[in-house]
Amino acid sequence: MSLILFAFVVRVRDGLPLSASTDFEHNKELQERKQQLRTISKSLALYPDRGTLRGQKLNIYFVSSEGVSYMSVCHSSLPIAKAFCFLEDLRWEFTACFNSTVISLAARPYPFLEFDSTIQKLKQQYNQSGGPALEVTLAEVQEDLRIHPPEVINLNEVQLVNGTANGHIEQSAASAGINQRLEPVSAPGILSLILNIMCASLNMIRGVHLVENTFQDDYEGIWNVVAFFLAFICCALQCHLYLFHSSQKKLKSFLLLSIIILCNLYLFGMRNVWQLLFHISVASLSTSLILTRRLQHRTYDCGV
């Protein structure tokens, strides 16, 4: 009996299928697991790097690394450590064949058909012999699972790709991200919002006043006006980024912080050192709180 029935490689950022094994079993539960697997693949950014979904006889396991997720449907009798060992071997094989640039440039589903045969060979090796002779790797995986168990995803929360489940219409990954709740706003968060609004107001007031002088002086100092208004916009965006969930939050928050710092450094002379330190400190505090405010996840049973 085959213990590993299906394997799937997918790009994390948009769920684009990169490669998959060919399965010859067509039982009802396998088809359901494959549909659920594809649903999960469309919103991998909402899941941890390693997880499992348990079914009646078949389980789903996945591991995400460097923008690619490696997923499989396995029989429940297969030890979890061997399932994740298979995924790790699959990850090593895939990264040895394709670099991150090629993966990011892929524009159509299943662009790496030549890798399907590699998946088949690896799957066959595990099904026939129980896995490669990698006792050390298996032991390492077992220890890693003991310390960092995979998150168990609730079966009822996974919706089928071709319709509805549990009375809800399937959402896209983008809309799912919008509806995610963030942790409650903390006291430091409220303080940072107040300070950010204060900084934004000061930038706006100084910018408006400077506009009048700029027009009177034949547009001299126009870049100071731009710096004030740009800093105002960035402060407002920092407030929005803290209050609402957004994709690529880390990149956006650091970009906003960098622009605020550059704007304030450019305004040196129009502001004294203490004023500059105040604006930069508020922006830094906001960035720190943006990065530490997490999505509010439900509690799962994470036992291995």
Side-chain angles (χ1 to χ4, degrees), residues 1 4 6 13-14 19 27 36 49-50 58 61 67 77 106 129 180 213-214 240 244 251 260 264 267 277:
M1 179 183 66
I4 300 174
F6 182 69
R13 79 166 187 260
D14 54 5
S19 184
N27 65 73
Q36 291 161 355
D49 291 339
R50 184 165 58 194
L58 304 178
Y61 303 97
S77 62
S129 63
Q180 288 293 308
N213 297 330
T214 300
H240 182 274
F244 302 101
L251 175 63
I260 291 174
N264 279 279
L267 294 170
L277 287 175

Side-chain angles (χ1 to χ4, degrees), residues 129-148:
S129 63
L134 296 175
E135 291 81 0
V136 176
T137 301
L138 182 59
E140 291 175 351
V141 170
Q142 287 173 328
E143 179 63 17
D144 190 34
L145 290 174
R146 186 186 66 81
I147 299 173
H148 304 292

Side-chain angles (χ1 to χ4, degrees), residues 93-108:
E93 292 283 356
F94 190 80
T95 53
C97 295
F98 309 103
N99 59 47
S100 58
T101 302
V102 174
I103 295 169
S104 63
L105 292 176
R108 59 181 177 82

